[in-house]
Amino acid sequence: MKQIESLHTIFSDTAEIEVMESKRNTLTMENNSTHSAISRIGFIGNYLPRQCGIATFTTDLCEAIASEFSEATCIALPVNDIEAGYAYPSRVRFELKEKDIDSYRRAADFLNINNVDLVCLQHEYGIYGGPAGSHILALLRELRMPVVTTFHTVLKDPNPTQRRVLQEVAALSDRVVVMSERGVEFLQEVYRVAPEKIDMIPHGIPDVPFVDPSFHKDLFGVEGKMVLLSFGLLSANKGIEDVIAALPAIVAQYPNVVYLVVGATHPNVLRNEGETYRLSLQWLARDKGMEEHVVFYNRFVSLEELIEFISAADIYITPYLNAAQITSGTLAYTLGAGKAVISTPYWYAEEMLAEERGVLVPFHDPAQLAEQVIDLLDNESKRHAIRKRAYMFGRAMIWPQVARRYMESFERARAERRHFAPSGFAVKSLDKRPSELPPLKLDHLHRMTDDTGILQHAGFTVPNYAEGYTIDDNARALIVATLLEELGTGNVASELASRYMAFVWYGFNTETGRFRNFMDYQRRWLEESGSDDSHGRTLWALGTVLGRSNNHALQSMAGSVFERALPAILNTTSPRSWAFAVIGIHEYLRRFSGDSMANQIRNELAERLLTIYQKTRSDKWRWYEEGLTYCNAVLPQAMLMCGQWIPNQTMTEAGLESLKWLADLQRADTSDGHFVPIGSNGFYRQDGERARFDQQPVEAQTMISACLEAYRSTGDECWRKEARRAFEWFLGRNDLNLTVYDPTTGGCRDGLHPDRPNENQGAESTLAFLQGWLELRLAENTLLSVEIKSQ
């Protein structure tokens, strides 16, 4: 058996010892007979074996409630951030895909039809897809049972999207839980959550005995040493470097000190940065001559191992660098285990370590940290008094107690159900639920892409080598790959984007400042400068990478080319090249809004577009040119972007007027009013005859993009419907009632002839479909998931 530390050395009152031990035993006996009327609970949040604090908390809470309330069935619905998912235990019944909003709706259906009595949601902005984790709203809006949400982060100064998302999560929840008084304060003052709706329940901790640290030290080879400990998933905001910087002063007084840093590198950090931070800490320890006093345990430890590490510690240190943290599982665990804690004054630490339950030191102050460590090592009685106060305080935080508190909140939520939820499962009608998109299939995109880039044409579904490559298509492909990255397809997007980016980079002619366009299959350029439109479209692609991608290598390469290629757009004469470039500049300005050159060029191109519109426009012909040709909708799209972001109301009005005119023109005079793009066999000249065929996929794609931009600009629901109408052209809602998209290959046919589809599946057509699909999906993720429910 473990040797419990002689409590008489710390607790002077023998009766107090007996009360503590009696309380632990009583709780254990009482917990075996706990009951609740709630029989089936669904837990949503990350779940072990995924490595993160939310996963640990959700798993522990779920298991604690299942243990305390044996009649309740607890099921878990975790969120996967990787395609392969995780090897979950049997309690997991449904898995959500972080960036797939449809999976959230499917999860709601699953919960509704499986007679779940209550949902317990763990909320953290970063674990759900969409802006500020807004995908979770798509799930919450569909649920028909009470919801109790635990907020793990409550920001004091949220951005507008963060504020809006948290407010709606709170509105859709019957009760909300926070783990600190600061969290209660912020919910009321910042987010206007009603105080009677809020429960303050402490972070749960394992129930461990008050042990002598020396008992476990031999497990880690540190017997006879004074052990400092920090643990948790490693990332640069943890401040471990400050402890290492403090060690020389500590070791000078106590040569037997060893600092244990326990925990794997955070998976997200590992994916994006590798072990750079951990290596920097190891180098710092060597530079300080402290390599013999610092031990890294680079793995995700089990709960049993973690308790042993905590038990072996004489002092626990949380040197976090940011005050804005309203909870910390690591601090809760060590406080409840009766450890002497030294921490920086982040919000949760200020609250937990008040009343001399620990010691606070300033942020990023190794000298003060060293001074406080030495003081606690010098003063054993002070250190033990802190331990006593911490351990006593933590008795209310053990998981059995916390599980009971949560069940009380669940019962209140059920009793106070704020809106009527009829029994059974009601399927929503189409007008109440967004239309489904076909599954994303990239087979043909991969087929058309080789080591050079994407090939221009195909004979049926076979790549046509004789036609070679164009920068036009590789720019389109780069946009699609960047949108795929934003959707969360991981390595697939990165590999494709790198290939297309390499083609674009190679296509830039440094002597002319322009892009070449056509390349044969032998990788020989066929011209020194491409068309105006190809130059503008390539700027669009580069701007999209710069504004949306998080791949630093792609950003660096795109930034270099974008800066050198941008000035040449002012020498072009094609309105479409101006529009393509304007869209690209706006994508770029999403991230780099202070770039004065980009703003100046955007403003110049916007004035040109507005001027030609005002010059050409009439009541019967509300357009920018004397004829409609190809990619028509990019012109009003560019105007709308400029109108919104310069801002310029005249430009907004011109964009909306011209787009509405184009939408009406491209609507069939039939009962279904399907999309009919301008035909490429003659196009449409003012006062001339409009060509009905051939109908090109790129016209549907550009119409989707422009209508979504109009919706973002106005919030008018009609524009989302117009975008969907244009997309349905791909799926067979067209003049021939034949599908243009090929679901068997993931490719898209090259258009509609008067009597049949063009069966070739070239790059432009396939990319047009994919871009339209991705823009609709991303727009739905961005816009629908943060839309305040109006019911």
Side-chain angles (χ1 to χ4, degrees), residues 368-387:
Q368 275 291 310
L369 180 57
E371 182 178 320
Q372 292 302 326
V373 170
I374 293 168
D375 179 62
L376 287 186
L377 294 178
D378 283 344
N379 296 283
E380 185 176 12
S381 60
K382 178 179 180 180
R383 188 168 79 248
H384 286 330
I386 289 173
R387 293 187 61 199

Side-chain angles (χ1 to χ4, degrees), residues 296-328:
F296 289 92
Y297 287 85
N298 184 10
R299 60 191 180 87
F300 189 78
V301 297
S302 67
L303 177 61
E304 293 74 16
E305 291 175 299
L306 180 57
I307 290 172
E308 290 171 344
F309 273 112
I310 293 173
S311 298
D314 293 287
I315 298 175
Y316 180 72
I317 304 175
T318 56
Y320 299 166
L321 303 179
N322 184 3
Q325 186 165 336
I326 65 162
T327 188
S328 167

Side-chain angles (χ1 to χ4, degrees), residues 180-338:
S180 66
E181 294 296 343
R182 188 76 64 103
V184 174
E185 174 189 330
F186 288 170
L187 281 182
Q188 294 181 49
E189 295 180 2
V190 180
Y191 300 91
R192 304 303 181 198
V193 178
E196 63 271 15
K197 192 175 187 175
I198 305 170
D199 293 321
M200 207 292 279
I201 304 176
H203 193 296
I205 60 172
D207 186 9
V208 299
F210 193 94
V211 298
D212 182 348
S214 299
F215 183 76
H216 287 96
K217 289 182 179 180
D218 61 325
L219 295 176
F220 310 110
V222 292
E223 57 271 28
K225 296 183 181 295
M226 299 302 292
V227 176
L228 313 180
L229 172 69
S230 295
F231 75 86
L233 293 172
L234 204 59
S235 60
N237 65 340
K238 301 294 185 180
I240 303 298
E241 63 272 17
D242 289 339
V243 185
I244 295 174
L247 280 178
I250 299 169
V251 170
Q253 297 290 321
Y254 288 89
N256 65 335
V257 160
V258 63
Y259 179 39
L260 304 185
V261 182
V262 178
T265 300
H266 195 290
N268 292 339
V269 175
L270 195 61
R271 278 196 293 267
N272 296 322
E273 303 172 19
E275 292 286 11
T276 302
Y277 179 58
R278 184 182 298 274
L279 290 171
S280 72
L281 297 175
Q282 293 172 356
W283 296 334
L284 178 62
R286 292 192 188 101
D287 291 344
K288 298 287 185 182
M290 293 291 106
E291 59 266 39
E292 293 183 2
H293 297 273
V294 182
V295 180
F296 289 92
Y297 287 85
N298 184 10
R299 60 191 180 87
F300 189 78
V301 297
S302 67
L303 177 61
E304 293 74 16
E305 291 175 299
L306 180 57
I307 290 172
E308 290 171 344
F309 273 112
I310 293 173
S311 298
D314 293 287
I315 298 175
Y316 180 72
I317 304 175
T318 56
Y320 299 166
L321 303 179
N322 184 3
Q325 186 165 336
I326 65 162
T327 188
S328 167
T330 61
L331 178 57
Y333 277 33
T334 50
L335 181 79

Side-chain angles (χ1 to χ4, degrees), residues 441-453:
K441 190 178 181 71
L442 301 177
D443 294 20
H444 193 59
L445 180 63
H446 286 290
R447 184 182 298 116
M448 293 291 292
T449 302
D450 64 11
D451 290 341
T452 301

Side-chain angles (χ1 to χ4, degrees), residues 23-214:
K23 186 175 182 180
R24 289 185 71 219
N25 293 333
T26 301
L27 282 173
T28 301
M29 290 186 292
E30 288 178 352
N31 290 341
N32 291 331
S33 59
T34 307
H35 300 281
S36 171
I38 298 176
S39 62
R40 195 168 177 82
I41 307 168
F43 291 82
I44 301 174
N46 296 347
Y47 211 83
L48 293 177
R50 180 171 174 180
Q51 297 180 8
C52 76
I54 302 295
T56 301
F57 182 91
T58 309
T59 305
D60 288 348
L61 176 60
C62 182
E63 293 302 323
I65 289 178
S67 175
E68 294 303 304
F69 301 89
S70 57
E71 296 179 357
T73 298
C74 297
I75 63 173
L77 291 80
V79 182
N80 290 332
D81 61 336
I82 57 175
E83 188 65 29
Y86 299 89
Y88 292 116
S90 59
R91 199 176 294 284
V92 169
R93 293 290 309 281
F94 189 99
E95 299 174 35
L96 293 87
K97 296 181 179 179
E98 178 184 327
K99 297 190 177 182
D100 179 7
I101 199 168
D102 280 343
S103 76
Y104 292 76
R105 297 193 183 99
R106 291 193 295 270
D109 289 347
F110 174 85
L111 291 164
N112 286 331
I113 67 175
N114 277 277
N115 301 315
V116 170
D117 295 320
L118 180 136
V119 165
C120 179
L121 172 74
Q122 306 308 309
H123 181 269
E124 174 66 72
Y125 289 113
I127 70 174
Y128 302 113
S134 53
H135 282 10
I136 194 61
L137 299 177
L139 185 157
L140 292 175
R141 291 170 185 159
E142 304 289 324
L143 293 181
R144 304 174 64 78
M145 71 288 294
V147 177
V148 174
T149 295
T150 301
F151 288 116
H152 291 259
T153 293
V154 183
L155 300 173
K156 182 180 181 181
D157 299 301
N159 66 38
T161 304
Q162 291 168 335
R163 182 192 301 273
R164 189 178 182 189
V165 168
L166 190 143
Q167 285 177 326
E168 188 175 355
V169 171
L172 292 167
S173 302
D174 294 85
R175 300 201 67 78
V176 297
V177 175
V178 286
M179 300 179 224
S180 66
E181 294 296 343
R182 188 76 64 103
V184 174
E185 174 189 330
F186 288 170
L187 281 182
Q188 294 181 49
E189 295 180 2
V190 180
Y191 300 91
R192 304 303 181 198
V193 178
E196 63 271 15
K197 192 175 187 175
I198 305 170
D199 293 321
M200 207 292 279
I201 304 176
H203 193 296
I205 60 172
D207 186 9
V208 299
F210 193 94
V211 298
D212 182 348
S214 299

